[in-house]
Amino acid sequence: MSEAALKTVVIVQCRLSSTRLPNKALLPLGAKTVLDWTLAAMKKVAADDYVVATDADSFDALSPIAERNGFALFKGPLDDVLERFCQVIEKTGAKIVVRATADNPFLFYEAAQELLAIYQRRRNEGERIDYITWKGLPHGSGVEIFSGESLLRAKPETSEMYDHEHVGPALYNHKDRFSCFFLPAPEKWQQPELRTTIDTAQDYRRACALVREVQKKNGAVGKALAEGPAEPLTADEIVCAAQADSVAFPVLCVPCVKKGRGTGHLRRLLSVAISSGADIYIPADADLDKRDELVAAAKEEGLCDYQITAQLPEKGAYALVVTDAFSLNRERALALSSCAPLVAIDEGSLNTDVCDYLLDIIPSYGITRPANVADPSFVTLPKNRRSAPKITSSEKIKRILVTVGGEDPADLVVPTAAACAGLEKKVTAIIPSDKEPEKELLRVPESVRASVSFIPPVHNLREKLHEYDVVITHYGFTAFEAVAAGCGVVLLGTTPLHVQLAQKYGFTCIASSDIGEASLEAALSDTAALYPDSPFTREGAGRKELGSFVQSLAKGKRFSCPVCGERSEHSLALDAVVCRIPQRTFRRCSTCGMLYMAWTVDADDKLYDEKYFFESYKKQYGKTYLDDFTAIKSQCVRRTSVIDQLYRSAHKAVTPTVLDVGCAFGPYLAAANDAGWQVFGTDVSEEAVQYVQQTLHYPACRARFPELDAAGEFGVRQFDALTMWYVIEHFQKLDAVLRGVAKLVKKGGIFAFSTPSASGVSARFNTQRFFQQSPSDHFTLWEPARAASILRRYGFKVVKIVYTGHHPERFPKLARAHARPTGFRFSLFNAVSHFFGLGDTFEVYCKKEKDVVFDE
């Protein structure tokens, strides 16, 4: 009988007693369960029978799901899955078994079908195959295929618990008896870095996000996101969705939900969650007014239930945590920072040192700490704007809106509305949802009640503001939205800080203690002051989408001190923030003093290839690296003379060896060779190493330092000198690099390197620009004064520092005066730069004094 004629059975194993994620097969994915997705995918695989193999306790709950997907349901032992499969094989007479598990809703059914065809073809050709699977598929997207007869034979031959729990190992863990194949998956399905299985709560969250991404791409919005696809997802659809930013880089939003702090924080992060797919943390005991109402409105706009969590995350569950907290307490800040890189929006506390990234949107008062980005363009401004011109007299003010947010903790709305009505204005006042308009109206003098209307909170209020001549509110989103809508604005000083903020940004402000007809009449009479100059009225304001910006930050990476690294047990918050720029945050290590890049959104594994040395180099210097070879070599000749002076003067009888790490196209090797050194080079660039080997004819190898095997590559275990010219700043894990240097340099030998200076003229007098221009692959920023203490850890003593890269024109006085390079002042400042070591680059020459024993 041909293999194609042998009975093929798809068996999906499923139980509901998982300890990590109980009942996971019944969890909803869109309008379907996880098991529905798995069975629908496996039904696309051609087979004679389709069976769900479960246990007795799970049988009843799974029965309707199996039935609606055309699967028979079989119950067997709970813990002995191998026995369960063997019972199904015996009952169905299966000769070929296609095995899948119910916690894999995103199976590549095309790959399963192709694997089955390969299995059948090779068996027809007479090859013995007991077990076969693909390797390289996403974890959770593959199946196993095996011979039913082979599994029956394997069962009595193994007593290993693992074999009985996982079925397949009964065959492939015993390759002495069974013929097993792990085929490399075709390139179109090779995605081993992706995870699509559901084993934990975070896996389930990822699965929900993947479904949301697919449905979003297919045009589903709002409630339509709850619907499942009519057909199982293809492999391409699964991969595309799994690689989407919202799935691959999950974000958790943590808004302030404290009573009395307003609803703006929750509103803003709900909008981020809707647009970006981020999760949002709303604790079950949150007492914020309107919480449920705001969440319900967000669900109408597309927020999914799975995006709302009442649990703070475990470490590694999210790529980013975003807070809109008004004021973070330190304990909460440290807890969130331990979970993932922390972004804070409009943070007003003194705990911003804990935050990896700061985004200021609403202008604040008295904040001296810098933000990575301060940009009011992220405020969503109203589309509806007043067409009427600005009001020029108080008599023309007819309609007034009074609102102080969703809570009104200071009870300012009613007295303000009453005072406005007393001025014969028509007033609409928004009161908290837990208050009744009729009762609030009774607090207004009877003589003016007809002029006042109390209403509950208004959804999407910003689009209604243009209907009013004047908006009376407090400092916050509504104030700036009203200005952008073309309304006159008066602010109520709910706190001293709000009064200061109002005054700073030109708003007319009435202190809460002064609310009355007289103060309001005075405020409304100065009509010009009702229209303050605001960043939100300028061209381009309110044009950026906060959700997409937050999602872009999720790709950022946090780094510990490259020297102390993971060996340092102190909190990242102990390392002071030195500078923040839009792409990066820099800190100073509190242990070793090193300046380092602590967070970045644009760090990547830069390729130091031909493009780097030619196109990128030319873009920066106006010529390619090889065009500049002679000039670079001349500097290397000078450097070699310094090393000669320090080392060869005491070792005249030997031909010393030098290893140049990051040798590029070999200018230093050429200079050192000319000076009588035996030279060796290493670089990560294949093109550079080939040039050194084939054109310059020096020994060189391609290797990442410190993984270099010098003895194997060059037959040299230790060198008389090791050099790194503008290389050391590129190492993310500098501790391992310096340990490697210490092992490769002989006692008494020289370690020399050059690097940009973080205490040169540029860093001292234009700090922000210095950090802004620091390349994205520079992980450390060295300072000459701190080099000795760092290098001493590794057994080196600094014996000489040479200051280079002098730029007198960068001194502020010369820059302002546009001094000529040939003038006296220029020469004077050049001398000052040399005398005080203010060059923008420097070279360190140190001698190895002792061998250091490092802790592993």
Side-chain angles (χ1 to χ4, degrees), residues 260-551:
R261 292 287 176 86
T263 60
H265 309 283
L266 178 57
R267 290 176 187 271
R268 179 156 59 179
L269 290 192
L270 280 171
S271 69
V272 168
I274 292 168
S275 64
S276 70
D279 289 0
I280 187 163
Y281 169 68
I282 304 176
D285 60 352
D287 60 354
L288 181 70
D289 289 341
K290 293 190 65 183
R291 179 195 67 182
D292 295 340
E293 181 182 337
L294 291 173
V295 171
K299 288 183 179 180
E300 289 291 325
E301 296 178 18
L303 186 74
C304 299
D305 286 332
Y306 81 84
Q307 292 177 260
I308 304 171
T309 177
Q311 302 291 328
L312 284 175
E314 297 180 357
K315 184 176 182 180
Y318 291 91
L320 192 73
V321 174
V322 179
T323 67
D324 189 344
F326 183 77
S327 182
L328 274 170
N329 67 58
R330 196 161 190 82
E331 182 180 359
R332 169 57 64 85
L334 289 169
L336 294 175
S337 178
S338 69
C339 300
L342 180 62
V343 172
I345 301 176
D346 290 332
E347 177 55 42
S349 74
L350 298 177
N351 298 312
T352 56
D353 57 326
V354 182
C355 304
D356 297 275
Y357 196 91
L358 298 180
L359 172 61
D360 287 346
I361 300 175
I362 292 290
S364 299
Y365 180 85
I367 291 182
T368 57
R369 56 92 180 137
N372 294 81
V373 169
D375 190 349
S377 299
F378 287 107
V379 171
T380 303
L381 297 183
K383 298 175 183 177
N384 296 324
R385 306 195 179 197
R386 288 172 57 85
S387 58
K390 294 180 180 179
I391 292 173
T392 56
S393 66
S394 61
E395 291 77 16
K396 294 181 179 180
I397 298 174
K398 303 299 182 184
R399 301 192 63 195
I400 294 177
L401 176 69
V402 179
T403 176
V404 291
E407 295 183 287
D408 188 20
D411 192 26
L412 302 182
V413 169
V414 173
T416 303
C420 289
L423 299 176
E424 301 181 357
K425 309 297 182 184
K426 189 69 175 178
V427 182
T428 300
I430 298 177
I431 56 175
S433 56
D434 61 346
K435 295 187 177 181
E436 300 177 16
E438 295 79 7
K439 290 184 178 180
E440 296 302 288
L441 192 60
L442 293 177
R443 298 172 56 197
V444 177
E446 186 175 359
S447 59
V448 296
R449 285 178 189 170
S451 298
V452 180
S453 297
F454 288 109
I455 63 173
V458 178
H459 177 62
N460 204 13
L461 176 63
R462 64 174 173 269
E463 299 303 337
K464 307 290 194 305
L465 297 175
H466 73 287
E467 299 172 1
Y468 301 91
D469 300 319
V470 172
V471 175
I472 300 177
T473 184
H474 62 168
Y475 187 85
F477 287 115
T478 302
F480 290 104
E481 291 168 350
V483 172
C487 305
V489 179
V490 175
L491 298 190
L492 303 177
T494 52
T495 67
L497 174 60
H498 283 87
V499 173
Q500 293 172 327
L501 287 165
Q503 293 172 344
K504 179 177 180 179
Y505 295 103
F507 286 97
T508 295
C509 184
I510 301 173
S512 58
S513 59
D514 293 336
I515 293 174
E517 290 186 17
S519 59
L520 279 163
E521 183 175 24
L524 297 177
S525 296
D526 187 0
T527 54
L530 299 177
Y531 303 94
D533 181 39
S534 166
F536 301 98
T537 61
R538 297 166 195 160
E539 187 66 26
R543 303 288 178 84
K544 297 180 180 178
E545 209 284 305
L546 182 58
S548 60
F549 182 74
V550 165
Q551 190 62 67

Side-chain angles (χ1 to χ4, degrees), residues 680-703:
F680 304 89
T682 181
D683 202 283
V684 295
S685 168
E686 183 176 354
E687 293 85 358
V689 169
Q690 287 180 354
Y691 184 87
V692 171
Q693 292 173 336
Q694 299 171 13
T695 303
L696 301 183
H697 304 295
Y698 301 136
C701 69
R702 185 186 182 196

Side-chain angles (χ1 to χ4, degrees), residues 166-177:
H166 297 86
V167 185
L171 297 171
Y172 62 71
N173 278 350
H174 305 278
K175 294 179 182 177
D176 57 325
R177 301 192 299 272

Side-chain angles (χ1 to χ4, degrees), residues 68-344:
R68 67 175 174 250
N69 286 281
F71 275 69
L73 189 61
F74 176 88
K75 57 184 173 183
L78 170 64
D79 296 321
D80 193 342
V81 184
L82 176 59
E83 173 63 27
R84 194 191 313 168
F85 264 71
C86 287
Q87 290 179 9
V88 174
I89 291 169
E90 290 171 340
K91 181 175 182 178
T92 61
K95 301 300 181 183
I96 303 172
V97 175
V98 181
R99 175 182 178 263
T101 58
D103 52 7
N104 291 339
F106 306 117
L107 292 162
F108 285 9
Y109 63 80
E110 308 101 315
Q113 186 63 53
E114 185 167 323
L115 185 67
L116 179 57
I118 292 172
Y119 178 92
Q120 292 171 334
R121 184 180 69 251
R122 290 172 63 168
R123 286 290 297 265
N124 285 339
E125 293 171 353
E127 186 175 359
R128 177 188 169 191
I129 302 179
D130 297 304
Y131 174 96
I132 191 170
T133 191
W134 293 121
K135 61 178 182 180
L137 298 183
H139 179 51
S141 292
V143 302
E144 299 171 305
I145 298 176
F146 47 81
S147 163
E149 295 173 342
S150 297
L151 195 70
L152 293 175
R153 191 169 71 252
K155 187 189 72 171
E157 296 180 5
T158 178
S159 59
E160 296 290 333
M161 182 178 296
Y162 188 83
D163 292 354
H164 281 262
E165 289 177 347
H166 297 86
V167 185
L171 297 171
Y172 62 71
N173 278 350
H174 305 278
K175 294 179 182 177
D176 57 325
R177 301 192 299 272
F178 299 102
S179 180
C180 303
F181 297 88
F182 292 80
L183 305 182
E187 185 176 353
K188 60 184 176 180
W189 296 323
Q190 276 279 353
Q191 299 290 342
E193 75 286 353
L194 296 182
R195 179 179 174 87
T196 58
T197 192
I198 298 179
D199 192 42
T200 65
Q202 191 60 26
D203 288 336
Y204 173 63
R205 185 264 169 216
R206 184 188 304 108
C208 291
L210 191 153
V211 172
R212 182 184 189 275
E213 188 64 32
V214 170
Q215 296 171 335
K216 180 180 177 182
K217 186 176 181 180
N218 292 339
V221 294
K223 290 184 177 180
L225 285 171
E227 302 299 327
E231 287 289 321
L233 301 180
T234 65
D236 286 345
E237 287 178 313
I238 294 169
V239 170
C240 184
Q243 292 176 334
D245 289 348
S246 63
V247 182
F249 303 97
V251 174
L252 177 67
C253 297
V254 182
C256 173
V257 289
K258 289 184 178 179
K259 192 176 182 64
R261 292 287 176 86
T263 60
H265 309 283
L266 178 57
R267 290 176 187 271
R268 179 156 59 179
L269 290 192
L270 280 171
S271 69
V272 168
I274 292 168
S275 64
S276 70
D279 289 0
I280 187 163
Y281 169 68
I282 304 176
D285 60 352
D287 60 354
L288 181 70
D289 289 341
K290 293 190 65 183
R291 179 195 67 182
D292 295 340
E293 181 182 337
L294 291 173
V295 171
K299 288 183 179 180
E300 289 291 325
E301 296 178 18
L303 186 74
C304 299
D305 286 332
Y306 81 84
Q307 292 177 260
I308 304 171
T309 177
Q311 302 291 328
L312 284 175
E314 297 180 357
K315 184 176 182 180
Y318 291 91
L320 192 73
V321 174
V322 179
T323 67
D324 189 344
F326 183 77
S327 182
L328 274 170
N329 67 58
R330 196 161 190 82
E331 182 180 359
R332 169 57 64 85
L334 289 169
L336 294 175
S337 178
S338 69
C339 300
L342 180 62
V343 172

